[in-house]
Amino acid sequence: MKKNSKENSQTLCIHSGGEPDPVYGAVMPPIYQTSTFTFKSAEQGGRRFAGKEKGYIYTRLGNPTINALENAVASLECGKYALATSTGMSAVSTIFFALCSAGDHIVASSALYGATRVFLENELQRFGITTTFVDTSRKKEVEKAFQKNTKILYIETPTNPTLRISDIKWCADYAHKHKAILAVDNTFLSPILQKPLLLGADIVLHSVTKFLNGHSDVVGGIIVFNDEDLKEKVSKTLKHLGGTMDPHQAYLVFRGIKTLALRVLSAQENARKVAKFLKNHKAVQKVIYPEFEKDPEIKKVIKKQMNGPGALISFELKGGFEAGKKLLNSVKIMTLAVSLGGVESLIQHPASMTHSGVKREERIKAGITDGLVRLSVGCESFEDLSEDLKRALEKV
Ligand code: LCS
């Protein structure tokens, strides 16, 4: 089996992270639903706090069920360490609070998940940390945006919801040359389809709410590293900010990961067909899907760094937003809801929903037009999905 191949990831999804249960040999990790852990003596408690003895203290500082999930995701992302967080936004915000100070600068993709963009633009700015947003798929734009005080190059690739692709290896090399680090939000592809740490990224993060958990019943996040110092810095801030995960939440995500490869590959197979179906439909103006990329340079990047195009599609109807609204109100199998990466297909309107917090002119500049509809294709049968779309598009 080729290391880091799709097959290898499939096996890792099923076998990573769990140590055999030392008491009863349970195959799945027990849920250690406890806030705190007893010490055998006052001396032992002191040693644990001083870091002189290994062992658990208090769940915000560490918990075996959460560790099982962290080990599983670290291994899938080909990283050494992972830190699970209460939400994806907790992962996002903790990275910046841990690694930036007043006077520092960030370069980020202009199309980002709405709350990430608003956090950088509105919240971080209050602490004296500024961000320049550019199309990070264009190398010249990244070069132009870098400043002497740039600490982090932060990208989503593909971006939410415009599916722009940035060259991870180039971004990592460029950031390192300028004494900055590269953080990649890998939520849209999951480690089944892309492993940024292998391409030189310093940090990979996920909203595990999406593909990693995959069942639309948990919110959570995770941050993965190879460098111990970087992990320690982020870990310290995470414990102080308090956005750590809960053991039950960790168990559910650990369980979801068992079928990650099966779900991602099945949803992707559907998405490929749905994207073609939409492209050939007379009511559809434009379909954004990595397989339809025309720019030869970006096509090369896609081939080099992605194992597949993923399960997200964005498209615009000829009738603009009014037609989009009709479509959203007419689908029956697809669910009208934000979020993505679940087994069920989810459809939403970024301009009025996930990205409504971004100023209109900035949103349009980032390619998130008023008529754009985002579809997260799930694992239903393609026949049912295409019938649903066909029926709904007839009403447009
Ligand atoms: N990163 C990306 C790429 C996301 O898509 C999201 C959430 C987050 C981070 C934040 O994660 P959370 O705190 O929600 O777990 N994206 C959403 C979306 O597109 N629709 O609803 C949520």
Side-chain angles (χ1 to χ4, degrees):
M1 196 192 310
K2 218 170 90 206
K3 200 166 180 311
N4 305 321
S5 65
K6 249 186 292 189
E7 292 73 20
N8 181 252
S9 293
Q10 210 156 319
T11 306
L12 287 177
C13 285
I14 293 163
H15 290 289
S16 292
E19 294 288 322
D21 160 32
V23 182
Y24 297 112
V27 171
M28 288 296 278
I31 308 170
Y32 288 96
Q33 194 70 45
T34 182
S35 57
T36 195
F37 298 83
T38 35
F39 308 126
K40 288 199 177 87
S41 64
E43 289 76 12
Q44 186 187 48
R47 285 196 301 278
R48 289 200 180 166
F49 266 93
K52 290 186 180 143
E53 180 186 299
K54 280 201 161 165
Y56 293 99
I57 297 173
Y58 181 68
T59 282
R60 176 163 48 77
L61 310 178
N63 174 292
T65 316
I66 300 170
N67 281 358
L69 170 68
E70 291 171 335
N71 292 338
V73 178
S75 150
L76 269 167
E77 282 287 7
C78 296
K80 288 196 188 129
Y81 314 98
L83 299 169
T85 59
S86 55
T87 62
M89 282 315 296
S90 166
V92 171
S93 56
T94 301
I95 289 169
F96 295 110
F97 282 127
L99 303 175
C100 295
S101 304
D104 287 343
H105 175 252
I106 295 156
V107 174
S109 309
S110 46
L112 288 173
Y113 169 53
T116 303
R117 168 126 192 184
V118 173
F119 169 75
L120 289 168
E121 221 158 18
N122 299 355
E123 309 279 355
L124 269 195
Q125 204 163 33
R126 292 192 289 116
F127 298 89
I129 301 162
T130 51
T131 306
T132 305
F133 297 96
V134 293
D135 179 354
T136 49
S137 71
R138 306 266 169 233
K139 294 172 183 166
K140 285 219 165 66
E141 288 199 27
V142 175
E143 287 168 350
K144 227 168 84 190
F146 254 70
Q147 301 177 4
K148 278 206 182 77
N149 55 343
T150 303
K151 284 280 158 64
I152 301 183
L153 172 57
Y154 184 89
I155 63 172
E156 282 180 13
T157 178
T159 49
N160 181 356
T162 49
L163 307 177
R164 300 287 300 163
I165 312 288
S166 298
D167 183 337
I168 297 175
K169 171 135 196 344
W170 182 87
C171 286
D173 291 345
Y174 190 81
H176 296 158
K177 212 160 74 192
H178 293 82
K179 298 195 167 50
I181 62 161
L182 173 69
V184 181
D185 185 330
N186 202 24
T187 300
F188 264 40
L189 289 182
S190 90
I192 302 303
L193 300 179
Q194 180 168 273
K195 296 184 196 273
L197 292 178
L198 292 180
L199 300 161
D202 303 279
I203 292 179
V204 169
L205 70 139
H206 285 271
S207 163
V208 305
T209 314
K210 314 294 168 7
F211 288 102
L212 290 184
N213 178 59
H215 293 78
S216 306
D217 53 3
V218 171
V219 287
I222 203 152
I223 316 169
V224 193
F225 316 79
N226 266 321
D227 183 86
E228 190 177 4
D229 289 343
L230 203 55
K231 183 266 290 179
E232 279 304 318
K233 257 191 197 167
V234 176
S235 172
K236 209 162 88 185
T237 304
L238 175 63
K239 286 168 187 170
H240 289 153
L241 291 177
T244 49
M245 200 179 251
D246 172 84
H248 190 250
Q249 203 183 355
Y251 174 79
L252 287 171
V253 182
F254 186 90
R255 185 181 197 263
I257 287 176
K258 299 273 175 194
T259 56
L260 174 67
L262 298 173
R263 288 183 283 102
V264 167
L265 297 176
S266 156
Q268 175 176 260
E269 203 180 307
N270 271 343
R272 279 189 157 123
K273 294 184 198 158
V274 170
K276 271 192 204 131
F277 169 88
L278 285 169
K279 204 174 173 199
N280 293 327
H281 198 284
K282 59 179 189 309
V284 178
Q285 170 88 24
K286 165 174 140 183
V287 180
I288 310 173
Y289 190 58
E291 266 187 351
F292 301 154
E293 180 63 53
K294 288 210 180 87
D295 183 318
E297 221 184 286
I298 296 178
K299 264 171 98 159
K300 254 194 255 165
V301 175
I302 290 175
K303 207 164 159 208
K304 189 176 70 171
Q305 75 187 24
M306 290 159 61
N307 279 333
L312 272 297
I313 303 169
S314 288
F315 59 99
E316 243 179 271
L317 298 178
K318 286 188 180 144
F321 179 39
E322 283 311 311
K325 262 202 285 198
K326 267 201 191 129
L327 173 73
L328 297 188
N329 288 331
S330 308
V331 284
K332 296 234 158 58
I333 292 173
M334 295 181 178
T335 306
L336 172 54
V338 296
S339 200
L340 57 107
V343 287
E344 59 289 283
S345 296
L346 298 176
I347 193 161
Q348 68 110 4
H349 176 241
S352 68
M353 296 172 189
T354 49
H355 291 71
S356 55
V358 183
K359 280 187 228 107
R360 186 167 183 272
E361 70 262 28
E362 296 297 336
R363 181 166 55 68
I364 304 277
K365 218 160 86 187
I368 309 162
T369 50
D370 290 337
L372 202 71
V373 172
R374 189 191 73 189
L375 173 60
S376 170
V377 181
C379 299
E380 302 94 336
S381 90
F382 169 69
E383 285 66 33
D384 287 334
L385 293 179
S386 58
E387 266 308 304
D388 194 28
L389 273 176
K390 207 152 108 193
R391 226 177 16 233
L393 283 168
E394 269 161 23
K395 301 200 174 147
V396 166

